Amino acid sequence: DTAVSQTPKYLVTQMGNDKSIKCEQNLGHDTMYWYKQDSKKFLKIMFSYNNKELIINETVPNRFSPKSPDKAHLNLHINSLELGDSAVYFCASSHAQKSTEAFFGQGTRLTVV
Amino acid sequence: AQSVAQPEDQVNVAEGNPLTVKCTYSVSGNPYLFWYVQYPNRGLQFLLKYITGDNLVKGSYGFEAEFNKSQTSFHLKKPSALVSDSALYFCAVRNQAGTALIFGKGTTLSVSS
């Protein structure tokens, strides 16, 4: 019973391609996030959705487009992939009003070659 | 803006000895503070949080953290370290809107036998 699951776990692709990462949570949370962890292990928020509404959109290239079809899903689509997009992408969820901790998925290691 | 600082890139401790991983924060208003642990090639696991109440917070795997408002610190502690505690530890603070966690750069804990 995985709380936050994201697929795929590994993604290797060529520059210029378009790819998607999917995320689903079964915790009943109202807020979902995408974080990027770079090669130095820094974690940075990319997007935050609350009840399917985009709340945070950090300085991220517009090649990255999140989509939340419902409260339990938050997908990340990336166009025209670049070498610098190589990183680990984490999906997470939490309940914004209850001050709860965020639960993280296992991550998707994206390698652009 | 909310932020956390983890002044040590790495902490080395012998098994059985007490450990401390340091974190200081900068927030406007009351801080919501968290500690997470990341094992190699894994997602982030929640350890403990401070929202309000007792300054000493107990969490998973025998970890605890002490909230010190005057020193704006939230150090992670464990009385007796295990080799299996070796991992990357992140301190985080919730942003003012409650829509994201802002992470420190992480501290690698290495416990030797």
Side-chain angles (χ1 to χ4, degrees):
Chain A
D1 289 348
T2 305
V4 181
S5 60
Q6 50 184 112
T7 56
K9 189 172 182 180
Y10 299 98
L11 186 52
V12 181
T13 188
Q14 291 186 327
M15 279 193 302
N17 284 352
D18 303 339
K19 290 294 179 186
S20 292
I21 307 172
K22 296 185 176 182
C23 179
E24 176 182 5
Q25 56 96 3
N26 63 5
L27 298 165
H29 288 160
D30 60 359
T31 305
M32 296 186 72
Y33 316 84
W34 280 110
Y35 281 85
K36 179 180 180 180
Q37 186 173 45
D38 63 20
S39 58
K40 294 184 178 180
K41 305 296 185 183
F42 294 159
L43 276 164
K44 188 172 181 185
I45 182 79
M46 299 174 68
F47 301 104
S48 170
Y49 268 77
N50 178 263
N51 287 317
K52 302 196 302 176
E53 181 182 345
L54 181 64
I55 301 298
I56 285 181
N57 183 353
E58 289 294 318
T59 308
V60 176
N62 57 15
R63 297 182 294 103
F64 290 78
S65 54
K67 282 188 172 53
S68 182
D70 55 58
K71 286 197 301 184
H73 296 84
L74 180 61
N75 303 323
L76 183 64
H77 188 77
I78 315 170
N79 290 327
S80 304
L81 277 155
E82 300 177 358
L83 292 176
D85 297 332
S86 296
V88 181
Y89 294 85
F90 286 102
C91 177
S93 73
S94 70
H95 198 295
Q97 298 305 316
K98 293 183 179 179
S99 305
T100 60
E101 60 274 21
F103 288 80
F104 283 76
Q106 292 299 295
T108 296
R109 182 175 296 276
L110 172 64
T111 303
V112 183
V113 298
Chain B
Q2 325 286 74
S3 66
V4 290
Q6 295 180 242
E8 302 153 318
D9 290 336
Q10 179 141 353
V11 170
N12 300 309
V13 64
E15 187 174 31
N17 284 358
L19 69 88
T20 298
V21 183
K22 296 180 180 177
C23 173
T24 58
Y25 65 88
S26 174
V27 304
S28 50
N30 294 322
Y32 290 5
L33 297 160
F34 303 81
W35 275 102
Y36 284 81
V37 60
Q38 183 179 25
Y39 296 100
N41 300 314
R42 301 289 297 274
L44 277 75
Q45 296 178 30
F46 168 75
L47 282 178
L48 50 79
K49 65 182 175 183
Y50 173 83
I51 305 298
T52 186
D54 289 341
N55 290 341
L56 186 63
V57 179
K58 294 190 182 297
S60 307
Y61 313 121
F63 283 94
E64 57 191 27
E66 186 170 9
F67 172 71
N68 187 317
K69 189 172 183 177
S70 62
Q71 297 185 3
T72 61
S73 66
F74 188 56
H75 300 332
L76 181 69
K77 301 183 179 189
K78 188 173 183 181
S80 178
L82 299 172
V83 172
S84 57
D85 293 331
S86 298
L88 181 59
Y89 290 80
F90 289 98
C91 182
V93 63
R94 200 176 75 158
N95 68 352
Q96 199 164 8
T99 53
L101 290 181
I102 310 301
F103 285 87
K105 66 177 182 176
T107 298
T108 299
L109 173 66
S110 179
V111 182
S112 56
S113 57

